[in-house]
Amino acid sequence: MSGRTIELKNVAVRLGGVDALLDVSAAFDVGVVAIIGPNGSGKTTVLNVLSGLVRLSRGSASILGKNLSTIPAHQIARMGIARTFQTSRILEWTDIRENVAAALSRTDLGGNGPSEAYRLAEASLTAVGLESLAGVRASTLSFGERKLVELARVHVRKPFIALLDEPVSGLHPSKFPIVADVISQVAARGGLVILVEHDYEFVREVAGQVVALSAGRLVGSGAPAEVLNDRAVLASFGGA
Amino acid sequence: MLAVENLSVVRNGRHILDSVSLTAEGGQILLIAGHNGAGKSTLLKTIFGELSPSRGTVRGAETGSTFYLPQGRTVFPSLTVSEHQRLYRSLVPVSERPDTRLPDAVLPDLAPAGGLSGGERQWLAASRLNVGRPRLILIDELTTGLSPAWRKRMLENLRDATDASGAPTLLVEHNVRDAVAIADRLLILRQGRLVLDTAAAPLRQDTARLEEILLL
């Protein structure tokens, strides 16, 4: 294995005639990276690039030295990468234990069967504080509870790379430490977490590096205290 | 005026709302906060009529005159921003359309909504607030996914819309620290029960008290 965990070189993405990313270059090793920026600045698009969900119009993106354009999205997931979405995507018709167990791939299970999957799922539901709802049908959950189920789906896979899109938005502040714990567990295993977040207090608390995007360009990168206090960066966000 | 009395909702054996009573005067914003799963969204859905209560009554929520913004950024992916605005206006009787422009200048008119970011979709869905004169405003998360600057603008826009329409407003929101600036009262739901109903203005200065309340 050579090179950085994730490397973006001059990445440009055009979506529906709009430039979502323009010439973004960045590299990440391990730890916790937060992407901040105004609405529509390209934050989620970076996560979509890393999940193989959008095509680059220019530049290259690689994970562990492998060029992403050569790997289909489902195989990217098998490389130990897990992600959440802003609006949760869970299976409505099953209970939440099943929802979490279903996130485990055969590789994740390493030859173990369903009973091991359920045991791991229950441990992850405990980690996000939803153990009492394990048997509840997902369709009856609230928005915030669904986000925690998604987080459990990431937690259960013990991913090497976790991509989290606004993990605390829509959550009660009492749940923030749960999210911070899941994040730090990935980092503590020597992994990389990339999160998109508008809550700067949370970012200060969990991130070791902050990357600022504005109108599809990288406008700042560094320690949280540096970037979040950088007047030029905040000025580039304008009234947005 | 909105009057909710003894509202209870039981779904799949879960007691989601438990004897909730509240009243909201015209032009008042009630900020409703609480833990995830406390029953906040269920309260709005039941007042709107999307869910039937197991017990209790709602008065002052006549169909057709209620503005309800559900969670989940509901926009039409294939319609552009300006097509959404035309659609929003067409749903409101001409006599009830105010002359004000939508707070839309931030979004490109011709962009299909499907290509917008999550925060931009939220902005577009919420901009429907500026069309028509609702008699009741129900909002399930106004600022989720919005940047700090947009949060402030959207909350101020809600204050203006509430003042202009004279409608009672129920705002479910997790960004309580921001939203308390425009609210008249703060209500806390906990495990389906209303455990606090207090004036919002004193909490703008008394941040220690506000932090205490947020731990409820």
Side-chain angles (χ1 to χ4, degrees):
Chain A
M1 183 165 68
S2 67
R4 321 287 297 264
T5 307
I6 282 177
E7 195 159 20
L8 302 175
K9 277 189 196 159
N10 308 107
V11 166
V13 173
R14 228 176 133 69
L15 295 171
V18 178
D19 288 313
L21 290 177
L22 286 160
D23 198 28
V24 171
S25 294
F28 311 116
D29 293 317
V30 292
V32 182
V33 179
I35 304 178
I36 64 166
N39 295 109
S41 58
K43 303 183 297 297
T44 299
T45 304
V46 172
L47 300 192
N48 287 342
V49 165
L50 297 175
S51 323
L53 294 179
V54 294
R55 201 184 267 275
L56 307 191
S57 48
R58 246 200 349 261
S60 67
S62 61
I63 292 184
L64 301 173
K66 286 185 190 147
N67 191 328
L68 279 181
S69 63
T70 62
I71 315 170
H74 66 277
Q75 277 180 23
I76 293 177
R78 268 185 228 155
M79 291 168 71
I81 300 170
R83 85 168 277 185
T84 66
F85 293 85
Q86 285 175 43
T87 310
S88 68
R89 302 181 177 188
I90 59 177
L91 309 169
E92 298 285 334
W93 58 91
T94 60
D95 66 36
I96 70 173
R97 185 193 292 109
E98 192 76 42
N99 258 283
V100 177
L104 289 161
S105 67
R106 209 181 298 178
T107 322
D108 291 330
L109 278 167
N112 286 303
S115 62
E116 175 65 0
Y118 290 130
R119 195 190 64 76
L120 293 171
E122 277 168 15
S124 291
L125 285 171
T126 304
V128 301
L130 290 182
E131 65 275 19
S132 64
L133 300 180
V136 166
R137 188 187 267 251
S139 61
T140 68
L141 297 184
S142 76
F143 180 86
E145 287 166 340
R146 283 159 192 252
K147 291 202 73 153
L148 290 171
V149 171
E150 271 221 317
L151 191 68
R153 284 169 59 93
V154 167
H155 181 271
V156 77
R157 296 194 55 210
K158 298 192 172 56
F160 174 57
I161 299 174
L163 309 172
L164 309 177
D165 202 348
E166 301 191 358
V168 299
S169 86
L171 287 188
H172 187 269
S174 66
K175 300 290 189 291
F176 288 17
I178 289 175
V179 182
D181 262 1
V182 171
I183 288 172
S184 60
Q185 281 176 34
V186 177
R189 280 196 304 270
L192 170 67
V193 180
I194 300 183
L195 61 133
V196 165
E197 191 49 69
H198 286 296
D199 188 315
Y200 296 166
E201 283 310 306
F202 185 75
V203 165
R204 267 177 224 278
E205 201 180 305
V206 300
Q209 184 187 351
V210 172
V211 170
L213 286 180
S214 182
R217 291 180 192 279
L218 198 97
V219 293
S221 174
E226 250 169 67
V227 178
L228 291 169
N229 294 326
D230 188 329
R231 283 168 186 237
V233 167
L234 298 178
S236 79
F237 290 2
Chain B
M1 195 181 90
L2 174 75
V4 171
E5 256 176 74
N6 268 320
L7 211 59
S8 292
V9 172
V10 182
R11 277 178 81 196
N12 294 11
R14 275 178 94 190
H15 223 108
I16 301 177
L17 283 182
D18 193 354
S19 310
V20 171
S21 297
L22 61 87
T23 57
E25 304 289 334
Q28 261 195 343
I29 298 180
L30 272 57
L31 169 60
I32 300 171
H35 286 261
N36 299 111
K40 305 183 295 294
S41 300
T42 302
L43 176 62
L44 294 197
K45 282 181 192 164
T46 312
I47 292 172
F48 184 59
E50 192 181 319
L51 287 179
S52 307
S54 319
R55 206 155 40 87
T57 57
V58 174
R59 279 178 294 131
E62 295 75 21
T63 320
S65 58
T66 299
F67 174 92
Y68 171 47
L69 181 70
Q71 261 173 337
R73 302 160 177 175
T74 32
V75 292
F76 300 95
S78 61
L79 297 187
T80 65
V81 169
S82 62
E83 283 167 344
H84 274 83
Q85 287 155 359
R86 261 184 279 155
L87 175 67
Y88 293 160
R89 289 178 76 84
S90 72
L91 296 174
V92 171
V94 177
S95 61
E96 289 178 20
R97 287 179 202 164
D99 294 328
T100 52
R101 286 274 298 149
L102 303 178
D104 58 356
V106 294
L107 301 180
D109 278 352
L110 297 178
L116 298 177
S117 79
E120 288 171 335
R121 287 180 199 203
Q122 173 69 9
W123 181 277
L124 178 59
S127 70
R128 188 164 56 89
L129 185 58
N130 291 49
V131 185
R133 297 223 180 274
R135 272 174 242 162
L136 174 65
I137 299 174
L138 304 172
I139 295 186
D140 200 350
E141 301 269 356
L142 187 61
T143 72
T144 302
L146 296 188
S147 69
W150 278 23
R151 282 207 285 270
K152 195 160 172 284
R153 284 175 68 181
M154 214 16 125
L155 285 165
E156 283 164 0
N157 182 54
L158 174 63
R159 180 75 257 178
D160 293 344
T162 302
D163 293 344
S165 63
T169 293
L170 265 51
L171 170 65
V172 165
E173 186 60 64
H174 280 292
N175 293 314
V176 176
R177 294 180 190 90
D178 292 326
V180 80
I182 57 111
D184 296 288
R185 281 156 56 196
L186 172 62
L187 285 71
I188 304 282
L189 267 179
R190 189 179 167 84
Q191 293 177 346
R193 286 176 168 271
L194 205 56
V195 294
L196 183 87
D197 183 345
T198 187
L203 300 172
R204 289 171 209 153
Q205 274 80 46
D206 193 351
T207 49
R209 169 86 182 119
L210 179 60
E211 294 305 315
E212 265 175 47
I213 289 173
L214 292 182
L215 293 177
L216 277 178

